[in-house]
Amino acid sequence: MNTVLINEIETCFKEAFKTDPLLIFSPGRINIIGEHTDYNDGFVFPAAVDKGIVAAIQKTDADSSVAYAVNKDEKITFSLDKIKPSAEGRWENYVFGVIAEIQNRSKKLGNFNIAFGGDIPGGAGMSSSAALENSVVYGLNELFDLGLTKNEMIIISQKAEHNYVGVKCGIMDQYASMFGIENHALLLDCRTVESKPYEIDFKDHQLMLINTNVKHSLSDSAYNDRRSVCENIAELLGIKALRDATESDLETIKDQVSPVNYQKALFVIQENNRAVEASKAMEAGDLERLGQLIYQSHAGLQHQYKVSCEELDFLVEQAKLNNKVLGARMMGGGFGGCTINLVAKDEIEAFSEAASKAYQEKFNKACSVYFIELSDGTHII
Ligand code: GLA
């Protein structure tokens, strides 16, 4: 864990609020495969990482509460009985959303102060937002003895995102951040919200992330659009979610949907199958197969689901030039953020140098390479 960050957040809290806080770490996540399948009740394959949000939180006798975003050096004072969303895109909506969802469940909160900061850049596609939501709900649950289970907490985090941030996200990010297991990825069935842990040891290969350092606007509205396309097609098929459809089911309604939306639904069906296949490849230790599935996932996200972007596609092309990179794809919602790459350990340095140089030349800006450890979910430090 990032001890520098922990010390910084603790110190900032103490200076601002003159008392000792409860400290919480809530991780971001990667996703090996299974993208845009979660809100279709399908399978995803995420893991919590050793980067995320550190939150310091404590009750106060004051008649208002304070949230302090240390990275932004911004503090906001608010009343618990007047919680409402603030301007779009503002960080406090993650905090306010969680408070509102807790209050909706008739749980009683008292005033509190929270300071937080993180070591994943926003827009990296590593779910700093779910990490923040989970840290807030986890901390409040502890301080005010709310008696929430982890499953209830992640629903609160997800609803905060729906209702206060305006992104109709699935459950993958909040789940992975809350339930992560050190050195494991979780094959999560988003219908039952139950997962099977897989120990991740790729022997002479490893995962590495490359951040494009871009986040294109419109990503939130495009996300909600994709979700409603999927829901409409599921309705047309007379099923609960696309998870229940096969490719031949989809064929039967081909003339009732636009070609573009047909491809989107087809992508979801195929990506869901790929996530399950990936788990089998991992059980068999077949990394070549896993890599192929990862490349296929990207192709689908790029051409069928259309949530990639030029920068992500370029980095995946760079990976394909190197036969020691077994697979690469965009990760998360899309339109920017990171690629996830499955790379031979002895090639890591050469590949990251080559990709970084090519990216700089092409876009006249730097990408960032991250190495991650798989970590436990949200917990008290
Ligand atoms: C975002 C959402 C998730 C999931 C991914 C795409 O990260 O928050 O719920 O839908 O995009 O797989």
Side-chain angles (χ1 to χ4, degrees):
M1 234 184 299
N2 185 338
T3 47
V4 175
L5 178 64
I6 297 170
N7 290 338
E8 183 194 357
I9 299 302
E10 185 175 16
T11 307
C12 286
F13 183 95
K14 285 182 177 168
E15 274 170 14
F17 305 116
K18 317 282 177 236
T19 172
D20 285 335
L22 180 71
L23 286 167
I24 291 152
F25 173 68
S26 189
R29 60 109 189 88
I30 57 165
N31 185 25
I32 297 174
I33 198 163
E35 217 65 88
H36 288 276
T37 45
D38 62 349
Y39 51 83
N40 290 293
D41 276 5
F43 288 92
V44 292
F45 217 146
V49 296
D50 57 344
K51 297 183 192 298
I53 295 283
V54 172
I57 188 167
Q58 194 50 270
K59 294 180 186 176
T60 170
D61 294 333
D63 51 12
S64 55
S65 297
V66 178
Y68 175 11
V70 173
N71 295 150
K72 291 191 184 291
D73 195 18
E74 284 178 18
K75 281 195 197 86
I76 181 156
T77 303
F78 54 94
S79 289
L80 288 172
D81 54 0
K82 291 194 197 94
I83 293 293
K84 61 173 174 20
S86 67
E88 211 177 306
R90 295 274 312 162
W91 60 266
E92 62 266 26
N93 281 331
Y94 297 98
V95 180
F96 290 173
V98 166
I99 295 170
E101 293 301 330
I102 291 173
Q103 290 174 336
N104 282 345
R105 284 162 179 74
S106 308
K107 301 274 184 189
K108 183 114 188 63
L109 292 174
N111 279 309
F112 67 93
N113 297 316
I114 184 170
F116 68 89
D119 55 1
I120 28 184
M126 294 171 72
S127 291
S128 53
S129 50
L132 174 56
E133 291 149 5
N134 279 354
S135 72
V136 177
V137 68
Y138 199 95
L140 292 176
N141 188 51
E142 283 289 322
L143 286 185
F144 296 103
D145 288 322
L146 303 178
L148 297 166
T149 64
K150 285 185 174 182
N151 278 293
E152 288 170 324
M153 288 193 254
I154 62 171
I155 299 294
I156 287 172
S157 292
Q158 183 195 28
K159 292 281 180 245
E161 189 118 359
H162 287 191
N163 298 329
Y164 270 63
V165 184
V167 179
K168 304 283 178 198
C169 63
I171 197 67
M172 167 168 75
D173 303 350
Q174 291 78 9
Y175 186 96
S177 170
M178 184 66 76
F179 288 95
I181 302 175
E182 194 177 0
N183 298 327
H184 288 71
L186 308 171
L187 178 66
L188 170 64
D189 181 335
C190 297
R191 171 161 282 165
T192 59
V193 199
E194 280 167 8
S195 69
K196 180 175 168 191
Y198 282 71
E199 194 181 352
I200 299 298
D201 176 7
F202 292 142
K203 307 278 187 291
D204 47 1
H205 287 76
Q206 76 177 71
L207 295 170
M208 103 187 208
L209 305 178
I210 311 182
N211 192 352
T212 58
N213 291 325
V214 298
K215 168 135 175 93
H216 295 290
S217 56
L218 288 182
S219 60
D220 290 356
S221 62
Y223 185 93
N224 292 344
D225 285 352
R226 297 298 181 287
R227 183 170 182 153
S228 66
V229 167
C230 293
E231 286 169 354
N232 291 340
I233 296 182
E235 204 183 319
L236 213 55
L237 285 164
I239 54 179
K240 187 162 172 279
L242 285 182
R243 140 75 174 275
D244 301 310
T246 62
E247 290 188 33
S248 34
D249 294 335
L250 190 63
E251 277 279 333
T252 63
I253 55 149
K254 194 163 189 173
D255 54 351
Q256 297 172 57
V257 293
S258 70
V260 174
N261 287 347
Y262 184 84
Q263 286 303 321
K264 292 191 182 119
L266 184 60
F267 163 78
V268 169
I269 295 169
Q270 292 173 340
E271 180 73 357
N272 194 44
N273 292 336
R274 276 192 288 268
V276 176
E277 262 225 51
S279 70
K280 292 184 187 147
M282 268 164 52
E283 278 164 23
D286 189 349
L287 291 187
E288 298 276 343
R289 179 72 190 132
L290 178 61
Q292 285 165 0
L293 291 163
I294 291 174
Y295 275 131
Q296 286 169 13
S297 170
H298 185 79
L301 289 157
Q302 178 182 357
H303 300 296
Q304 296 173 281
Y305 215 59
K306 298 191 188 298
V307 290
S308 187
C309 64
E310 207 192 341
E311 293 87 349
L312 288 164
D313 296 340
F314 181 81
L315 287 177
V316 171
E317 286 311 313
Q318 293 306 304
K320 283 187 179 162
L321 295 175
N322 186 327
N323 61 11
K324 288 193 149 192
V325 184
L326 299 185
R329 64 178 201 85
M330 55 148 277
M331 190 180 78
F335 303 102
C338 293
T339 59
I340 181 166
N341 303 264
L342 179 57
V343 190
K345 283 185 180 153
D346 60 10
E347 190 65 15
I348 288 281
E349 217 166 292
F351 172 56
S352 49
E353 266 173 36
S356 303
K357 187 160 171 278
Y359 190 86
Q360 176 72 41
E361 275 165 17
K362 168 87 179 168
F363 297 106
N364 201 21
K365 68 182 281 162
C367 59
S368 313
V369 174
Y370 304 146
F371 299 101
I372 29 92
E373 305 277 332
L374 306 188
S375 123
D376 283 333
T378 310
H379 59 269
I380 292 171
I381 300 167

